[in-house]
Amino acid sequence: LRSLVIVLGDQLDHDAAAFDDFDAAQDAVWMAEVAEESEHVWSSKPRIAMFLSAMRHFAAELRARGVTVHYTRLDDAGNAGSLAGELAAAIVRLRPAQLVMTAPGDYRVWQSIKRVAREQDRPLDVRDDRHFYATVRDFAAHAKGRKQLRLEYFYRELREKHGVLMRDGKPAGGQWNFDADNRQDFGKDGPGRHFPGPDFVPDAITRDVIALIESRFAAHPGSLQSFAWPVTRDQALEALQRFIDERLPKFGPYQDAMWKGEPWLYHSLLAAALNLKLLNPREVVAAAERAYEQGHAPLESVEGFIRQIIGWREYVRGIYWTRMPDYLESNALNATEPLPAWYWTGDTDMACLRDAITQTLTHGYAHHIQRLMVTGLYPLLLGVAPRQVHEWYLAVYVDAVEWVELPNVLGMSQYADGGLMASKPYVATGKYIERMGHYCKGCRYKPALKTGEQACPFTTLYWDFLMRHEALLSRNQRMALQVKNLARLSDEERAAIRAQATAIRASSSAPS
Ligand code: FAD
Ligand code: SF4
């Protein structure tokens, strides 16, 4: 065997660099399902199903093309249980002259594969991941010498370089950013319609995977009853087309809106397909750009969407790979509380959190503003250890892969990197959640109240957060207004907020 090409669960791309010189007569592919990848964090059933089903479909496609695939199934006898163990066994068995792979997305996996190659004394040819617009080297060059990193500049650089939404060297529509048009809520009457979610009926391969997970990972969180994610490239392309046709035109204005019982809204639902590499971001961006050119979708929606893909998605990858492994330990606010146990069940009286967590466990999905301003905001205000918040996010979402999850959780939502990723902590009271999502009507708490039996825990903890971090936050200009409002609180109010926050913490850490 000349080359053994390693294909990980988030590398399901027939055009990946690892296949550039692939010769079916001399080379073979190696893939493995191992328990470690579902257990190193307590992965939800939908997330495990997404990966295993997509991997099995990809292996079947390769075989149909005449490629030899050495594939270990989770329930194969003698499965070593870890990528390192399975890879080492395959090298001993197959004796390839070299190992080839596309650069992995996960630092931990990267370290373990390098170690196996070293121990087995095999050359490892690691190739750039062309899936992304920017290499990590591009990002490092952009970041070099800058005191502060900001998405906006990196995003503009990439749009110019790749000619995306550009007209004669200028941004289409004369401005780079349409955020001001893109912050609408649904008003008190709501979105006025119901939004369907993904509806790809599980085929025999997916049904096998579901049965395996139900027996092997029975105690893991989440449910598989409504699993309907795209697990093949063809399905992912269909999902892309459906998004462009049906939801992109209103994506922009409502990208920050929430509505009770409506998990999907105008979002694309494409993150898992992108992160597993079933879709290429260039084709996604091109489809959105085409919709603008054809007058199907307005510029603010198309720019708002493209900013997520060329902007945030590339930016967080750069942060991850230039900051690991130390980034994982970031804890700028010295937060040490445990994550409430009900994060794994959704069993809480807080209507917004109950809704967001329940849909997360049911579908492996929540949209951005739920992740940031509901499930992310609460542990930030409570003071939960960022590592525990990270482990929850990595476990529960079908699109969760560490390079994208970690900077979003530690940096953007928990401010654990001290402002590298976000220019200020995203903190708000329950009134923000009321305005953006209208959850509060059905809740036993009142978002305007800071103290007392009916006080919204978000609101109590918001004021407590400002008090606890007053010195740090008052040095941040973007927080000046929020910190200034603290001065309006009397000593008695401060003491009452503190006492109530302490009680919330005590009850949150109690076993449920
Ligand atoms: P849409 O709202 O339709 O957005 C379009 C696409 O843009 C997404 O599919 C995604 O590929 C990209 N995108 C949007 N926002 C971001 C962002 N902030 N960073 C990187 N890419 C972005 N995204 C993940 O892919 N995996 C994660 O594990 C993940 N964890 C997150 C954790 C927290 C605390 C937060 C605040 C955000 C997280 N995100 C993550 C980013 C974002 O919330 C999801 O990409 C998005 O909600 C996925 O749904 P969608 O495909 O419908 O996205
Ligand atoms: Fe959430 Fe507070 Fe509103 Fe209840 S009152 S839904 S806890 S924001």
Side-chain angles (χ1 to χ4, degrees):
L1 185 65
R2 184 183 66 163
S3 300
L4 188 61
V5 176
I6 299 168
V7 174
L8 301 171
D10 63 347
Q11 298 185 321
L12 310 180
D13 174 6
H14 292 287
D15 296 324
F19 291 115
D20 277 355
D21 49 2
F22 191 87
D23 174 1
Q26 317 181 60
D27 305 325
V29 165
W30 174 85
M31 297 175 76
E33 300 171 1
V34 292
E36 183 188 41
E37 295 309 302
S38 301
E39 289 171 344
H40 82 99
V41 293
W42 198 35
S43 275
S44 72
K45 292 175 183 176
R47 178 175 184 259
I48 305 173
M50 179 75 215
F51 277 82
L52 296 193
S53 173
M55 285 169 70
R56 289 188 182 188
H57 280 96
F58 186 75
E61 285 169 15
L62 287 173
R63 285 184 177 131
R65 294 173 176 208
V67 172
T68 303
V69 185
H70 298 282
Y71 191 105
T72 312
R73 286 180 175 232
L74 196 72
D75 50 352
D76 279 351
N79 186 322
S82 68
L83 285 175
E86 270 304 303
L87 181 59
I91 294 171
V92 169
R93 197 172 68 244
L94 303 166
R95 309 185 59 76
Q98 64 161 354
L99 304 171
V100 174
M101 74 182 305
T102 308
D106 187 306
Y107 186 88
R108 173 186 58 88
V109 170
W110 170 218
Q111 296 309 310
S112 80
I113 290 177
K114 275 198 303 193
R115 200 173 318 118
V116 174
R118 217 171 31 241
E119 284 166 7
Q120 296 295 325
D121 198 19
R122 273 318 104 138
L124 172 63
D125 176 2
V126 181
R127 303 179 180 171
D128 276 352
D129 191 347
R130 289 193 300 250
H131 170 90
F132 295 96
Y133 281 83
T135 62
V136 178
R137 294 182 300 282
D138 293 335
F139 181 86
H142 167 89
K144 200 168 173 211
R146 283 178 199 257
K147 276 210 193 96
Q148 264 199 332
L149 290 175
R150 288 295 160 253
L151 162 85
E152 190 65 32
Y153 301 108
F154 186 59
Y155 165 65
R156 289 181 191 181
E157 254 178 51
L158 287 185
R159 258 179 70 184
E160 282 191 288
K161 183 169 173 190
H162 296 277
V164 174
L165 280 184
M166 299 299 291
R167 299 288 176 275
D168 303 324
K170 300 222 164 51
Q175 61 191 77
W176 293 101
N177 189 322
F178 292 84
D179 274 358
D181 302 318
N182 284 349
R183 293 205 183 100
Q184 292 181 32
D185 56 80
F186 290 117
K188 67 178 176 20
D189 297 331
R193 55 168 285 203
H194 175 63
F195 297 80
D199 59 358
F200 295 96
V201 179
D203 64 3
I205 293 182
T206 304
R207 289 198 302 274
D208 269 0
V209 162
I210 287 176
L212 177 65
I213 294 168
E214 294 293 16
S215 77
R216 180 71 195 265
F217 299 113
H220 280 231
S223 111
L224 288 167
Q225 289 192 342
S226 54
F227 187 89
W229 290 99
V231 289
T232 64
R233 175 160 170 75
D234 284 350
Q235 290 180 341
L237 285 169
E238 203 182 316
L240 168 62
Q241 193 55 48
R242 221 180 284 167
F243 165 66
I244 300 284
D245 291 345
E246 294 167 13
R247 295 191 300 273
L248 174 64
K250 292 204 174 150
F251 174 88
Y254 296 117
Q255 68 187 27
D256 283 358
M258 305 184 267
W259 198 261
K260 193 173 174 209
E262 293 290 342
W264 321 105
L265 299 172
Y266 290 104
H267 292 276
S268 70
L269 323 178
L270 295 175
L274 278 163
N275 295 349
L276 271 61
K277 317 283 162 60
L278 301 175
L279 282 180
N280 188 294
R282 284 171 196 75
E283 66 198 348
V284 175
V285 165
E289 209 175 350
R290 215 175 307 123
Y292 165 59
E293 276 155 12
Q294 293 172 350
H296 171 63
L299 186 55
E300 68 268 20
S301 279
V302 173
E303 189 283 319
F305 177 69
I306 285 179
R307 163 183 297 266
Q308 309 306 320
I309 310 265
I310 293 198
W312 284 111
R313 192 163 182 270
E314 299 282 329
Y315 184 70
V316 299
R317 177 170 179 259
I319 292 196
Y320 179 80
W321 279 106
T322 50
R323 300 284 162 164
M324 281 298 279
D326 298 350
Y327 201 72
L328 193 55
E329 307 304 329
S330 317
N331 191 359
L333 298 176
N334 294 318
T336 54
E337 293 292 320
L339 185 74
W342 45 261
Y343 257 67
W344 298 102
T345 61
D347 183 13
T348 169
D349 283 349
M350 287 179 266
C352 55
L353 275 162
R354 189 173 59 233
D355 191 65
I357 295 173
T358 305
Q359 82 170 57
T360 293
L361 296 173
T362 309
H363 301 296
Y365 181 81
H367 60 74
H368 185 71
I369 222 66
Q370 292 178 304
R371 296 187 202 198
L372 185 63
M373 297 308 284
V374 181
T375 48
L377 177 59
Y378 193 73
L380 170 64
L381 297 178
L382 195 66
V384 175
R387 183 79 186 236
Q388 290 198 22
V389 186
H390 148 64
E391 288 175 356
W392 184 79
Y393 274 96
L394 187 57
V396 293
Y397 291 108
V398 287
D399 53 52
V401 187
E402 196 176 88
W403 63 264
V404 52
E405 172 274 330
L406 192 67
N408 270 300
V409 173
L410 291 195
M412 193 182 279
S413 100
Q414 303 299 300
Y415 201 68
D417 64 9
L420 177 78
M421 170 96 178
S423 53
K424 63 171 192 132
Y426 287 103
V427 287
T429 66
K431 283 198 284 189
Y432 171 88
I433 295 175
E434 181 183 41
R435 181 164 58 82
M436 296 313 283
H438 289 249
Y439 285 107
C440 307
K441 254 194 188 153
C443 185
R444 63 167 272 220
Y445 300 110
K446 301 267 174 289
L449 299 181
K450 301 182 194 60
T451 52
E453 221 213 304
Q454 291 196 309
C456 164
F458 280 91
T459 305
T460 310
L461 292 168
Y462 167 82
W463 290 104
D464 178 67
F465 179 90
L466 292 188
M467 289 192 286
R468 284 191 294 123
H469 298 294
E470 189 170 354
L472 180 98
L473 299 178
S474 54
R475 293 200 291 273
N476 185 328
Q477 270 195 346
R478 294 197 62 205
M479 289 300 291
L481 207 66
Q482 281 171 286
V483 174
K484 219 169 114 196
N485 284 332
L486 269 181
R488 294 206 209 136
L489 299 181
S490 67
D491 286 350
E492 291 76 42
E493 279 178 302
R494 283 178 175 249
I497 290 168
R498 248 183 228 122
Q500 187 143 346
T502 304
I504 294 172
R505 274 191 199 98
S507 68
S508 285
S509 58
S512 61

